[in-house]
Amino acid sequence: MAGSVAAGLAPAARAVAGSATVGPAPAATAASAPAVTAITAPAGTATADARSAVTAAPAVRSRVRPWRLLPGPRRTPFTFGYAVVLTGTSLLGRYGDPELVDALLRGSSTDVAHLAHNPLLVLVASALWIAGGITSPYAIAFLLVLTALERRIGGLRTAGVFLLGHVVATLATEVPVGLSVLAGHLPGSSLHRLDYGISFGVAASVGALAGLLTPWLRWAVIAGFGWMLVEDLIAFTDPMTNWGHLLAFAVGVCVWPLLRRGRPFRAPARPASRAEAG
């Protein structure tokens, strides 16, 4: 009797066990699917946002900023400070007492007479004035060229290039005048020839900057600026100064190897990580 009862209950127990095993499984699987979707969907969105942020970062950095063409006290302190001094002397030359301005200009002139007695003083003082005023082409070139040059090689080397062109071109044009006066080929008044301005230093800076540009832009600057200087020389209005401009320009070209060898290292921009982008 007990055996028959056990035999009769066995199929019912197996049916109950089967329904307990099979029944909950689909419910658990169905419940787990939305959970996986809920976790992966935000992660994919965050990854896409991070990628778009990284892709957009170079576009933001490559925007043109016109104000970077002009000097500033932080990035280009030499050019900025020098421009402030030149602005002050230009305003003095325009609105100051004419007799005082004339005396200052003659005292700053790098003529043969002054170079023979106070060479260092007049070489520095003559570079504090702009021939033609603050609106002259060389004043505008000073701002643009020296700003670009200082951003590439630093203030100290920019000052060195400017002073080298200024000094070499001044001596190269004034010393022959003194020798010609001694030989009797020029009158004694040539020893007091009024000579001042920043044009020699600017010409040297243009030549130096050309060596740091891309090849096509480099030769365009050399051809354009060089042709302008040659035209001034052909006009023969002021041959000594025009020869000085060409010589200063050549000085700037000659320092290319020094500037390229000593250019400051700039680390490449590091792309933003996914964590930073999010």
Side-chain angles (χ1 to χ4, degrees):
M1 178 94 179
S4 61
V5 172
L9 293 176
R14 284 195 298 268
V16 172
S19 62
T21 304
V22 176
T29 305
S32 63
V36 174
T37 305
I39 293 173
T40 57
T45 305
T47 304
D49 292 342
R51 290 176 180 174
S52 62
V54 173
T55 306
V60 173
R61 287 195 294 268
S62 62
R63 289 178 182 173
V64 177
R65 298 178 176 88
W67 59 87
R68 291 172 61 89
L69 299 176
L70 299 177
R74 292 184 57 189
R75 298 292 300 274
T76 55
F78 168 72
T79 306
F80 181 81
Y82 199 174
V84 171
V85 173
L86 291 174
T87 301
T89 56
S90 297
L91 293 175
L92 176 62
R94 183 169 184 177
Y95 300 106
D97 181 67
E99 294 184 0
L100 174 62
V101 172
D102 184 70
L104 290 174
L105 291 177
R106 293 193 177 277
S108 304
S109 175
T110 51
D111 52 48
V112 177
H114 284 101
L115 286 173
H117 293 89
N118 298 303
L120 295 179
L121 176 62
V122 294
L123 283 171
V124 174
S126 64
L128 302 179
W129 303 88
I130 303 177
I134 199 171
T135 58
S136 68
Y138 277 100
I140 300 173
F142 170 88
L143 290 177
L144 300 179
V145 172
L146 266 73
T147 298
L149 186 61
E150 186 172 358
R151 286 184 181 275
R152 286 165 172 80
I153 64 174
L156 186 60
R157 281 181 288 177
T158 300
V161 171
F162 185 92
L163 290 176
L164 182 64
H166 176 70
V167 171
V168 170
T170 298
L171 296 178
T173 52
E174 293 296 341
V175 170
V177 172
L179 295 177
S180 297
V181 171
L182 291 177
H185 299 299
L186 289 175
S189 60
S190 300
L191 298 176
H192 303 278
R193 172 178 172 268
L194 192 61
D195 188 13
Y196 64 90
I198 61 172
S199 59
F200 290 165
V202 172
S205 300
V206 173
L209 178 63
L212 305 177
L213 302 176
T214 55
W216 67 269
L217 187 57
R218 175 189 313 150
W219 298 116
V221 170
I222 290 177
F225 191 74
W227 177 247
M228 183 188 73
L229 297 182
V230 170
E231 280 188 327
D232 292 341
L233 186 61
I234 293 175
F236 210 73
T237 54
D238 190 356
M240 294 302 297
T241 300
N242 295 333
W243 275 115
H245 290 156
L246 276 173
L247 181 58
F249 184 58
V251 168
V253 173
C254 290
V255 300
W256 284 0
L258 299 177
L259 299 182
R260 291 171 177 173
R261 188 182 309 147
R263 292 185 68 182
F265 172 77
R266 294 182 179 178
R270 181 174 62 88
S273 63
R274 293 186 178 181
E276 293 173 348

